Every structure is written in C-alpha cells, then in structure tokens.
Amino acid sequence: MLKEPFRTILLAPLSALYGIAITVRHILYDEHLLPSFEPVLPTICVGNLMVGGTGKTPLVEYLVRLLSPHFRVAIVSRGYGRKTHGFILADGHATAETIGDEPMQLHTKFPNIPVVVSRDRISGIKRLKQQCPDVDVVILDDAFQHRRIRCGLTILLTPFYRLYTRDHLLPWGRLRDIKTRSQKADIVVVSKCPSDLLPIDRRIVGNELTLASFQLLCFSQMTPEPLPQTGTPLVLTGIAEPAPMLQHVRQFAPQAGHLAFPDHYVFRPTDISQIMEQASRYDYVLTTEKDAARLCQTELPQLLGDQLRTTAITMDFGEDKETFNRRVMTYVQESVRKKHKK
C-alpha cells in the first residue's frame, strides 16, 4: 500500500484527467450535442457517485414495496457480472450467471415484478414496454451516470461514513463521477447512518452537502434481519462494504468469524473447499442475499444444508419516511395520470 503523500502525487494527476474527460462528456449532454432519450414510462433512477456499496439494492427493494400495491412496477438493470449479453427478461430459468447477482436477488424476492437486464437501458425500456405493456413505472438500478436517459425522478445515495464531498475521483479516490453532478438529483439519501444519529449530525451533513432548495435530503439506516441468538457464525461476504454487516453480527456474536471475497465474486470449487474448512469451526455460515444468489450456483448449499443461513438487509428512513414516500408517490401518481391522458 502506498502512503497517502505518495498516493496523492501519483494518482491526483490521473484523477484530474479523468475529471476533465467526464466534465466534457456532461457538457456535451447538457448542450444537447449528444442525444438523450426520455422514456414514455415514468422512470425512477437510483444511483450514486462512488464505486462500491451505497445501498442501491435495498433502496430499489424499498421502492418496489412502496409502489407495487398501487402500480405495476418493473426494474431495469445493467446486470453487472453476468455471463450473458443483450436483453433478458428474468424468468424461472434465471440465475446469477445469466442476469447478475443483484437482479437475481430482486427477481427471487419479487417474482411477480418484471426484472430486465440490458446494457443498453434505452433498448431495455423499449423492449420491456413491448413485452409488458401494463407496466406503469420503471425503476432504473445504478443509472445515475447513464446520461442517454432523462429520468423523471433521480435518487442519489451517499453513505454517511463516506460522503461524496469527502472523496476524490478515481483512481485517487472512489468517485466515478464529478461531485457537481449531485446537483441534478431530485432526492439525496444519506445511507448507512448510525442508529444513534443526532439532529446536530443531520445539520452538519446538510450544511456540507449544500443542496438546492428543490432537492430533498433524507437519512436512512440499513437494518439487518434479527439473527439467531445462539451459536457463533462464520460471516461469508462477497460485497463491497462488509464492515457494517460484520459489526452488526458481532453485537450478538462477538466471536463471529469472517471470510471475505471481492464484490460480485464468482465462487470456484477451491473457494468452496476453503469455506467448508472454515465453516467446520463455527456453528453456521451466515451470508447476504446478494452472495446467496451466486452461491446457489455452487454445491455449498447442499454441503451445508441448514447450516447455511441468509440475512436480508432493509432500508429504514426513520423520521424521513413520510417525506420520502410522499415525494416518490407524488411523482409517480402525476406521471401516470399524464400518461393516461395522452
């Protein structure tokens, strides 16, 4: 690992060049020199400025639960990490290999919701509309940088422990887009907040982000499912930010072990052998829904049986719940009403 002064000297110039390239691209779109497409369907974009976990999938799940009792909802994702190409509408034959681990997680949890993967989001939405003409609203997963689409409502996530204002562009930091792009978001969600967040903390973050008057700022927490009160688990993760989950587990099981793999990792037979060896020292193996979507393609579920357990993580807006829900519902209701009038 390079020490910070050397990292700055080596990587800051590369970040500056990257920032110039991104800025030019945004100018071309802002000046309409590059074309963009506005879908006929009401479209909600969920995204972030940084690489890694910010809570996009739990937010997509939250939106599905909020909207699906009233509207026909569909999800469109790139399908990162899949081994296929082109447009796929998830069905009973879908796997993490064919549609990606996060879309597979969503498809498993919401089997009656159309889940589409398509690298070309415009083509994906058009074909979705053809195959599912009754869809009322589309949720675009991880599409904040996808300037070819003009979404009706844009939600930007930034984690409490690493606000985009305190980060740098790749490769110096973890930002994949310039900070000023945050001004285009309709709602900014500060995710992964501590459970003891104080009013003064909210004010400090709000002052630091300096949002425009039209932008709604909300704070949220990640709430894992209750864990078994007996036994010590081996926590198995292949996600970008496993620390919050591990911290939560160790509140109940201080001796919990941890076996970490990279984000979107494809488990191999040698990895399964390593997991089984580690698992023999613990009472059970605990993993995330995202990891479970990939692990089900291996023999691990058969080898572990009931000793393999999955924990779900949900998003909780706390005191901001009503405000957030109202903003989203108002957009969808008005958009659907306009669509039916045409």
Side-chain angles (χ1 to χ4, degrees), residues 67 96 161 232 278 316:
L67 297 171
Y161 62 89
T232 301
Q278 293 284 333
D316 181 4

Short mmCIF file of all heavy atoms in Angstrom, two decimals, residues 67 96 161 232 278 316:
data_model
loop_
_atom_site.label_atom_id
_atom_site.label_comp_id
_atom_site.label_asym_id
_atom_site.label_seq_id
_atom_site.Cartn_x
_atom_site.Cartn_y
_atom_site.Cartn_z
N LEU A 67 -44.37 1.09 -4.06
CA LEU A 67 -45.16 1.38 -5.25
C LEU A 67 -46.02 0.22 -5.73
O LEU A 67 -47.10 0.44 -6.30
CB LEU A 67 -44.22 1.81 -6.39
CG LEU A 67 -43.43 3.09 -6.18
CD1 LEU A 67 -42.39 3.27 -7.28
CD2 LEU A 67 -44.37 4.30 -6.14
N ALA A 96 -27.84 -16.15 -11.32
CA ALA A 96 -26.91 -15.03 -11.17
C ALA A 96 -25.97 -14.95 -12.36
O ALA A 96 -25.51 -13.86 -12.73
CB ALA A 96 -26.12 -15.18 -9.88
N TYR A 161 -20.72 7.36 6.19
CA TYR A 161 -19.32 7.24 6.60
C TYR A 161 -18.36 7.72 5.51
O TYR A 161 -17.15 7.85 5.75
CB TYR A 161 -18.99 5.78 6.95
CG TYR A 161 -19.15 4.83 5.80
CD1 TYR A 161 -18.09 4.58 4.93
CD2 TYR A 161 -20.35 4.18 5.56
CE1 TYR A 161 -18.24 3.73 3.86
CE2 TYR A 161 -20.50 3.32 4.50
CZ TYR A 161 -19.44 3.09 3.66
OH TYR A 161 -19.60 2.24 2.59
N THR A 232 -22.31 -19.43 17.10
CA THR A 232 -21.37 -18.46 16.56
C THR A 232 -21.24 -18.69 15.06
O THR A 232 -20.92 -19.79 14.62
CB THR A 232 -19.99 -18.63 17.23
OG1 THR A 232 -20.13 -18.44 18.64
CG2 THR A 232 -19.01 -17.62 16.68
N GLN A 278 -13.30 -23.58 6.85
CA GLN A 278 -13.54 -22.54 7.86
C GLN A 278 -14.84 -22.80 8.61
O GLN A 278 -14.94 -22.59 9.82
CB GLN A 278 -13.59 -21.17 7.18
CG GLN A 278 -12.28 -20.71 6.58
CD GLN A 278 -11.30 -20.22 7.63
OE1 GLN A 278 -11.69 -19.75 8.69
NE2 GLN A 278 -10.02 -20.36 7.34
N ASP A 316 -34.34 1.69 6.19
CA ASP A 316 -35.28 2.32 7.12
C ASP A 316 -35.03 3.83 7.10
O ASP A 316 -33.94 4.29 7.44
CB ASP A 316 -35.06 1.74 8.52
CG ASP A 316 -36.01 2.33 9.56
OD1 ASP A 316 -36.90 3.13 9.18
OD2 ASP A 316 -35.87 2.00 10.75
#
